[in-house]
Amino acid sequence: NAPARMIRTSIMREHMFKKGIWYEDLELMPTLAAYTNKIGFANRPFYHYVQHEGSIMNQSGFNPKFYDIFSVLENIKAVYEEEGLWKQYYSELEYLFIIHLQRSGILRFSGVSGAEDCLNRACKVMETTFPNWSNNKYLKLSGWKFRLICLLKK
């Protein structure tokens, strides 16, 4: 079990999950981290994910909601730029993009009819936002299978 995140109620109320988009949990955590200077963890869960048939984890074909990943990651980038944290956390944010566009994007979009544009867009975002992403220090620490998947489209 991963440690649970403890979030001050006032911060959580200000930055609740966005309704109607996929990847809302991906956007929430880095955004919350940008607005706090202290993070605590607990060794027990306080909530559980429930996956239903329509969830992103259960998609076998193309869904236009796949495109939500791009606005979510752009929103995270905007928060870190606005807060003056982009340069400080560049490598960590680069790795976040690698995980969600390179690894997960390749696994989610490859071989799915209609998702070719998403895959190409993911690669374009990486090329323009992080031109040297393949040299990311966290990627270099990742296992060989993870690195291989990330580098397939490159």
Side-chain angles (χ1 to χ4, degrees):
N1 287 341
R5 293 149 189 99
M6 296 172 55
I7 302 161
R8 187 176 302 276
T9 305
S10 59
I11 294 172
M12 192 67 197
R13 282 190 184 122
E14 190 175 334
H15 303 283
M16 289 297 291
F17 286 106
K18 291 184 178 175
K19 302 263 188 219
I21 64 165
W22 280 4
Y23 312 99
E24 72 281 359
D25 55 338
L26 168 61
E27 184 173 351
L28 181 65
M29 287 307 168
T31 299
L32 291 174
Y35 293 116
T36 187
N37 58 7
K38 186 176 182 182
I39 298 175
F41 292 92
N43 286 325
R44 69 181 192 99
F46 291 96
Y47 67 92
H48 300 278
Y49 281 105
V50 176
Q51 292 183 16
H52 54 84
E53 283 185 36
S55 79
I56 192 170
M57 301 305 287
N58 295 317
Q59 294 296 310
S60 58
F62 176 74
N63 190 313
K65 299 295 281 175
F66 285 159
Y67 284 100
D68 288 353
I69 189 70
F70 301 107
S71 60
V72 162
L73 289 171
E74 186 58 38
N75 291 344
I76 293 169
K77 181 179 182 244
V79 165
Y80 278 77
E81 287 175 336
E82 290 167 10
E83 295 299 312
L85 299 169
W86 180 252
K87 286 183 181 179
Q88 182 180 351
Y89 292 104
Y90 183 88
S91 293
E92 291 79 7
L93 294 163
E94 180 179 54
Y95 190 64
L96 182 76
F97 277 62
I98 290 169
I99 291 169
H100 293 284
L101 291 182
Q102 288 302 119
R103 185 191 58 100
S104 296
I106 286 172
L107 294 175
R108 185 170 291 122
F109 305 143
S110 292
V112 175
S113 179
E116 297 86 8
D117 182 57
C118 286
L119 187 57
N120 291 331
R121 187 170 170 189
C123 292
K124 188 71 174 168
V125 168
M126 291 305 296
E127 289 170 10
T128 57
T129 309
F130 303 103
N132 298 312
W133 68 264
S134 61
N135 294 319
N136 179 275
K137 64 184 179 182
Y138 301 108
L139 179 61
K140 289 180 178 187
L141 295 172
S142 300
W144 71 268
K145 288 180 185 179
F146 182 95
R147 288 192 318 272
L148 177 63
I149 291 168
C150 291
L151 295 168
L152 281 175
K153 185 64 177 166
K154 185 171 173 40

